[in-house]
Amino acid sequence: MENIEEYFRDLLAQHHSIDIADSEFKKTLAEDDELKEAYSEWCHAVGSTERLGFRDFAEEYKDTMDEVWETLTDYDE
């Protein structure tokens, strides 16, 4: 897995819902040893738990995207 955060963003874009993306991620994680290893390393590197790492990333990413849209909206006004 070259860039797990890119995989996370793709998964979120594909499913448009943190809950659905999280469910799909967990399903894929259970089936893919390479992903499991990359995810474990990523969680350790960012200081997150494997139980909540993807959901934490997804919520932070959503908040960041919301801020971008708010900034663009503020600029238009």
Side-chain angles (χ1 to χ4, degrees), residues 39-40 42-44 46-56:
Y39 180 62
S40 179
W42 178 84
C43 286
H44 180 70
V46 300
S48 186
T49 66
E50 290 184 36
R51 184 173 158 261
L52 296 175
F54 176 76
R55 183 165 285 276
D56 289 344

Side-chain angles (χ1 to χ4, degrees), residues 2-13:
E2 194 161 313
N3 185 345
I4 196 161
E5 289 184 2
E6 184 67 31
Y7 172 72
F8 291 165
R9 286 187 289 273
D10 290 345
L11 196 58
L12 290 165

Side-chain angles (χ1 to χ4, degrees), residues 34-75:
E34 181 182 345
L35 177 61
K36 193 179 297 184
E37 182 178 335
Y39 180 62
S40 179
E41 290 173 8
W42 178 84
C43 286
H44 180 70
V46 300
S48 186
T49 66
E50 290 184 36
R51 184 173 158 261
L52 296 175
F54 176 76
R55 183 165 285 276
D56 289 344
F57 174 87
E59 290 173 356
E60 185 175 318
Y61 181 73
K62 180 188 175 295
D63 290 345
T64 301
M65 292 295 99
D66 288 347
E67 287 175 15
V68 168
W69 285 112
E70 288 172 9
T71 300
L72 291 173
T73 302
D74 291 345
Y75 180 75

Side-chain angles (χ1 to χ4, degrees), residues 13-52:
Q14 182 179 16
H15 294 287
H16 305 289
S17 163
I18 291 175
D19 291 334
I20 295 170
D22 187 43
S23 178
E24 186 64 28
F25 174 70
K26 287 177 181 174
K27 177 182 164 194
T28 305
L29 190 64
E31 300 169 351
D32 186 333
D33 290 336
E34 181 182 345
L35 177 61
K36 193 179 297 184
E37 182 178 335
Y39 180 62
S40 179
E41 290 173 8
W42 178 84
C43 286
H44 180 70
V46 300
S48 186
T49 66
E50 290 184 36
R51 184 173 158 261
L52 296 175

